[in-house]
Structures are given as structure tokens and as C-alpha cells.
Amino acid sequence: MTTTLPDETMLLDDTARLRAAAEFVREHDSAALLPLLLPGLGGPDLRALAGHCRFAHAGLLLFPPDADGLRAQLADCGLAPDTPSHPSVVVRERLARRHRRDPAELDVRILRPQVHGRAGERRAVEVFALTVPPHSGLEPIAAYERTRRHEAHLAFEIEHADPLALRGLCAILVRHGARPDGGGYNPHEDGTVLYFTTPADPACGYRRLELYARGDHRAALAAHLDHPVSSARPPAETLLQLLTGAWTTQAFAVFARLGLPDAMDTRTAHSAEDLALLTGAHPRGLATLLRHLAMLGAVTPAPDQEEEGFRLTELGALLRADAPGSMRPLALMYGGPFYRSFGELDHAVRTGRPAFDHLFGENHFDHFARDPELADLFDRSMAASSRMFQPLPEHPVVTAAAAAPGSATVVDVAGGNGELLGRILTAHPRLRGVLLERPHAVEAARRLLDAAGCGARCDYRSGDFADVPPGGDVYVLSRVLHDWDDDRCREILRHLAGAMTAHADLLIVERLLPADGSPSLATAWDLHMLCNVGGRERRADHYARLLADAGLHLVGHSPLPLDAHVLHARRASVPDPAARHS
């Protein structure tokens, strides 16, 4: 006998779930939710995530019989029944794959009725609505999904997203047990979604987490989607793609060298013909390059134009000369001298000596010093990775020095163009700085710090590691030790230890090789250091031994963006202040 009662019961069940989701959204915020989703998350990682990610909504999948039924559910839960909707490409595709259905038969809509948090924050309940008419062939899908709750999730919107920040936040999530679980780009709202599954039995009851970034971030999405399933590709296809890595490096280098990012923008598409005229390139050759760069996510095609056109993406815009934190110098360096030396990697692997020295007849420091243009490019390429410095001004050692009576001094040893010291002095107007560098770099640092408005609080010293000035309160050594072998590192650290007072602190910025062999930029940079510099990346325990040999003690280390870490060290005879209070 046929009855409508089961469908009404399902509708009421969906309504109860919708009401519970709305109440959850009202009661929680990012700082409280993230540790519930990722047990053990805290310290700088929690601050980085909570600082960049705003809790935006809780999502769930409902199965109304029709549009009127959905509006009734919304009204029963105190949500706006006239909330507009549009197609949900991502969830429709996920459901189609999961249930082996044709996506065309799944009418999935997405709508976000607003909900306000306790302090009036604007949030939403994200409703995916799959229309399931009574007694239709879609009822088994509804029954399965209600039980498994695959699409139930908590979403965090990334404010001011850029490709590097997006990848850095993803890396933090993975480090704390989250696992990539799909995603997509939704052209209807120009937004990129990255899904993760969280560790088993999170305290908040939700097993899935979403990062949402406005705009087209399909390059970051491709890396995210490839992360857990790369082994699913045929091995030959995977290997063939990896073997084209050198082409990718040169494509980006030529893109930057021709000035194409500066001739394009993210809103207007330009034809290859017009761009060829602007840059002096061959039209067909340039069109071929742009199609490859579109596959890499640096540009995107504009299919609505009569002739083939391209516009710049946010990733490609990082190669503009005038972009904040421009990565153009890195593209020119990795596609220039370092690219040539990697052609001699065989020599470095066979002998253990740098391929750069073998190719150019001298080490890269001396080679660059003799060429002012190369020296400037190298210094600017180092500054291009300054995103890793963003959290350093808030390191407890720095904030404690800034709050101390009197005027504390931060000494940046081999501080390059002053990018890091400038960030610290700008964040803490009571601090003074000393920058030790080579003569040409000192002048570049003086210009940068003067432009930042903190040059009057900084002294400049030209010299080498033997010239480390004494009496500083905080010493900073950023991306220096990985340039050298262990003996030279011990020598550098001894110079620092000799200059440090009994209660001075040392902050060392380096990439750490993971102890468990997990993927890391440090592993790639270890090969880079072997090939080009003669140095190496190290594990934390390796640095601890080097510090101990120099009379220093590793207090601890914490993560930074771009897979970097900051290591905190003190004189070995001085106990950690935090330990005295524990």
C-alpha cells in the first residue's frame, strides 16, 4: 500500500538536521572549532589558521521533494525561505561518482541562508538540496547519504587568499591529521573549494572540513587533488609528467623574462597577437607558451573571445615586477644560473661537491659578487620568500624583548636586504636593530629600512660572521646555516655564542627535513643546496647537535609559512625561562 508518511518523516528528519546545523553555526567560532576538528592543534599553527580562516558556515545535504518543500524547511528553522540558489557543480559531481549516476539526472542546488553568531558575525548554513520526488529512483541515494553524512562539513573562508598562503594553510591542516578529500572550482560564483577529512571522531561531530577561497585557484586545487591519489595514475603517466619539470621551470622563467605578467592583468583578456607585439615575441611561439602556462595555472584562457585570448591568474600575478612579495626574482634565478647548474647535478651526486662550482669555476657567493646585476637578483630572490617571515615579529622572544624596560636590540646576522629586520622593527617601534652584511647588501638594506620608516632605529655593520656585534638581546640568523657544511656551521654558531650575553636569545630560520619522511619543501631544497651551494638542509635533532657543539641549547622550534621553521636557542648555561615556571 502506498502512503506519503515515509516522505513526511524524512522531511521532518531533514528539518531537524537543518535546525541543529543553524544552532551550531550561531554558537561557535574559528579559534574554538579548529582544535575540535584537529586534536592537538595549537600554538603558531592554530594562530595561523584562525588568523587567516573565518568560520563561515556548516554544510549539509537535504532531500526535499520539490522547491516548495525546501522553502517550508527553511521557514520552519527560522531561515529565509526566499534565499536564492544556483547549481552546485562540486557536490553534483561527487554524488554522481559515489553512486555511479549520470550527473545530468541529479538536480543539486546550493543556497546559503544567513545565520548570525553570538556577536553578530555574518555566517550561513550551506544547504545542498538534491530534489528527490516521492517514490523516485533517487530515494536510495537519499537514504544512504542521510546515514553516512558525506557532505556534512564545516567551512572556513580564507580572507585575502593568495596561492602561497592557500598552500601553506593546506600544509598545516595535513600536518595535523587532515587528509585531502576532493574539491573543485565553481564558475557560477568564482570560488575554489578544497575539502579535507578530519581525524576520527572529532569532538564537534563533523568529519569534513572545507577551505573556501574566492577566485580561481585551480593550480592550488590541482596540487590538492593530486596529493592523496597520485598513485592512482598509471606509473608511466606519472613519470612522464614528472620528467617535464624542467619545462615548467623554463616556462615560468620566460614568462617573467618577457615581462608578460606586467603586460597582462587578472580582469581583461589579451590576445597572443597583442601580447607578442607588446613583448617582441613570435605570435605562434607565444601562444604555445601561454597554452602551457594555462595548464600550469599562471594564465587562464578566455573562450568567449573570437580570437584566442588569455588573462592573468592570481598565481601568475605573483610574477609581476610590482607585485607585493613578487616572486619574479625567484623565477629568473631558478630559470637562470641555478637552472644551468642543475644540468651538472650528476657531478654533485658523484662527488659530493657543488655542480655550480664545477660549471662556473667558483662558488656562487663569489660568482654573484663579481656581477652586480646577479648579486642584486640573488638578494631580491631571497627577499621574494619573505612570506615565511610573517609570524616572526610575534614570536614570544621578540615580543618579550619589545616589552622589556629600556630599548632592546635585535641583531640580524647576514640579514640580506633587511626584509626580516624591517618587519620586526615596524611591528615593534621600541626595538632597535643592527644589520650585519656584505657592503653592497648593507646599502640595499639601508634603502629598504629607510623607506619602511625604521632606518633611524637601525645600525649597519659591514663584515663577516667573525664580526658579529656583542650585546644584542635577540640575534637572528635566517637561511644561513643551510649554505654550509657542519664544520662551518659550528664556526658560525661559536661566533654567535661568543657575542651573546648570558640571557640573549637566538632565532634561526631554516627549513627542517621531516623526521618521518613526509613530503616537504625541505627535501627539494636539500638537493638544491647540494647542487648549487654545497650546504644542506637538516633535521631538528641535527641542528640541536650543532648548537650544543657551539655551547648553545635548542629550546624548541615552531613552524613558519613555506615549510620553514624558527628554532629558538640560548646559551647552554642558561635554562629556558619558560621551564623555570613549569
Side-chain angles (χ1 to χ4, degrees):
M1 182 175 68
T2 304
T3 174
T4 60
L5 184 59
D7 299 333
E8 292 172 355
T9 302
M10 290 180 195
L11 181 61
L12 289 172
D13 180 64
D14 279 359
T15 303
R17 291 192 297 115
L18 179 58
R19 184 176 292 111
E23 187 60 27
F24 188 93
V25 171
R26 291 187 185 100
E27 295 296 319
H28 293 82
D29 60 24
S30 296
L33 269 180
L34 286 165
L36 297 179
L37 286 163
L38 302 169
L41 176 66
D45 279 358
L46 175 57
R47 289 195 294 273
L49 285 172
H52 287 83
C53 302
R54 178 183 64 85
F55 177 41
H57 65 256
L60 73 166
L61 177 59
L62 303 179
F63 306 93
D66 49 37
D68 288 340
L70 178 59
R71 283 192 287 269
Q73 287 177 298
L74 294 170
D76 285 348
C77 296
L79 303 172
D82 57 349
T83 301
S85 70
H86 55 261
S88 174
V89 175
V90 175
V91 172
R92 183 188 65 188
E93 296 294 333
R94 287 171 62 88
L95 286 172
R97 286 194 300 271
R98 199 149 57 234
H99 297 278
R100 300 181 181 178
R101 298 291 189 113
D102 182 352
E105 67 176 309
L106 303 178
D107 179 19
V108 183
R109 310 291 295 183
I110 180 174
L111 57 160
R112 296 189 181 92
Q114 285 193 8
V115 174
H116 290 90
R118 287 181 174 181
E121 308 95 331
R122 294 182 62 181
R123 299 179 187 146
V125 177
E126 184 172 73
V127 176
F128 301 111
L130 171 62
T131 301
V132 180
H135 317 301
S136 74
L138 301 179
E139 285 184 337
I141 295 179
Y144 177 89
E145 294 293 334
R146 282 193 181 97
T147 302
R148 302 300 177 92
R149 300 181 68 221
H150 282 299
E151 301 304 328
H153 66 274
L154 299 180
F156 298 82
E157 184 170 342
I158 302 173
E159 299 177 339
H160 314 299
D162 67 59
L164 283 177
L166 186 55
R167 292 195 184 205
L169 295 172
C170 290
I172 292 175
L173 291 173
V174 170
R175 197 155 55 235
H176 288 276
R179 291 291 175 262
D181 187 36
Y185 170 68
N186 196 333
H188 299 284
E189 59 184 42
D190 189 30
T192 305
V193 179
L194 308 177
Y195 286 117
F196 297 81
T197 56
T198 60
D201 300 321
C204 63
Y206 283 83
R207 287 295 314 279
R208 299 185 69 241
L209 180 153
E210 169 194 318
L211 287 187
Y212 177 83
R214 297 187 185 279
D216 185 345
H217 297 279
R218 274 180 276 193
L221 175 66
H224 173 80
L225 295 176
D226 191 51
H227 184 92
V229 294
S230 58
S231 61
R233 291 178 176 172
E237 181 182 334
T238 299
L239 180 59
L240 188 59
Q241 184 176 30
L242 293 172
L243 287 171
T244 65
W247 307 349
T248 295
T249 302
Q250 279 303 314
F252 279 116
V254 172
F255 187 50
R257 200 174 293 127
L258 289 174
L260 280 162
D262 303 281
M264 303 173 70
D265 63 60
T266 57
R267 298 175 301 278
T268 307
H270 298 270
S271 70
E273 291 276 353
D274 289 343
L275 291 170
L277 287 173
L278 286 171
T279 60
H282 184 275
R284 188 184 71 81
L286 186 59
T288 302
L289 173 67
L290 288 167
R291 283 193 291 272
H292 185 70
L293 288 165
M295 184 176 70
L296 299 173
V299 300
T300 188
D304 52 332
Q305 292 198 169
E306 289 188 10
E307 61 177 315
E308 189 175 28
F310 301 87
R311 64 175 175 82
L312 199 62
T313 66
E314 292 186 19
L315 184 147
L318 289 171
L319 295 174
R320 294 177 67 103
D322 61 352
S326 171
M327 299 185 75
R328 183 176 187 270
L330 280 174
L332 297 178
M333 184 60 71
Y334 292 164
F338 288 154
Y339 184 87
R340 292 178 60 193
S341 63
F342 256 103
E344 302 292 331
L345 178 63
D346 180 86
H347 171 83
V349 173
R350 289 180 183 276
T351 67
R353 295 190 291 272
F356 192 102
D357 300 25
H358 175 68
L359 178 66
F360 292 102
E362 58 188 341
N363 72 63
H364 86 286
F365 289 113
D366 292 338
H367 185 74
F368 294 160
R370 290 193 304 100
D371 185 331
E373 289 188 9
L374 266 181
D376 178 64
L377 177 62
F378 176 72
D379 287 338
R380 287 188 290 116
S381 72
M382 292 290 286
S385 298
S386 63
R387 283 173 179 81
M388 68 172 58
F389 301 150
Q390 184 178 347
L392 267 174
E394 300 307 315
H395 191 282
V397 161
V398 178
T399 56
S407 179
T409 299
V410 177
V411 181
D412 194 352
V413 178
N417 71 346
E419 175 73 32
L420 173 54
L421 186 58
R423 285 174 179 256
I424 292 173
L425 297 182
T426 300
H428 301 289
R430 295 181 65 245
L431 288 176
R432 295 193 59 82
V434 178
L435 185 132
L436 173 68
E437 252 297 358
R438 297 155 294 163
H440 84 273
V442 163
E443 292 309 309
R446 191 188 303 273
R447 291 192 296 270
L448 185 146
L449 290 165
D450 284 345
C454 49
R457 290 185 284 126
C458 190
D459 294 327
Y460 304 91
R461 308 285 177 88
S462 296
D464 200 349
F465 298 112
D467 305 306
V468 176
D473 298 282
V474 178
Y475 287 81
V476 178
L477 192 67
S478 175
R479 296 179 295 174
V480 170
L481 296 180
H482 73 163
D483 288 335
W484 306 100
D485 61 23
D486 284 0
D487 288 340
R488 179 61 166 151
C489 285
R490 291 186 188 96
E491 182 183 346
I492 292 168
L493 291 171
R494 287 187 183 114
H495 286 309
L496 278 155
M500 292 169 63
T501 63
H503 296 285
D505 293 283
L506 171 62
L507 298 180
I508 300 171
V509 177
E510 295 288 356
R511 289 189 171 95
L512 295 181
L513 288 172
D516 60 359
S518 57
S520 169
L521 285 174
T523 305
W525 255 256
D526 198 23
L527 187 65
H528 167 63
M529 303 313 290
L530 169 71
C531 185
N532 288 294
V533 181
R536 60 187 298 182
E537 306 295 348
R538 298 169 172 89
R539 292 182 2 174
D541 57 353
H542 193 154
Y543 279 116
R545 291 193 295 273
L546 294 177
L547 287 162
D549 290 343
L552 297 165
H553 165 64
L554 179 61
V555 177
H557 59 85
S558 54
L560 296 172
L562 302 182
D563 263 5
H565 280 74
V566 55
L567 297 91
H568 174 204
R570 292 175 67 88
R571 292 273 294 274
S573 58
V574 180
D576 176 18
R580 292 199 289 262
H581 301 288
S582 61

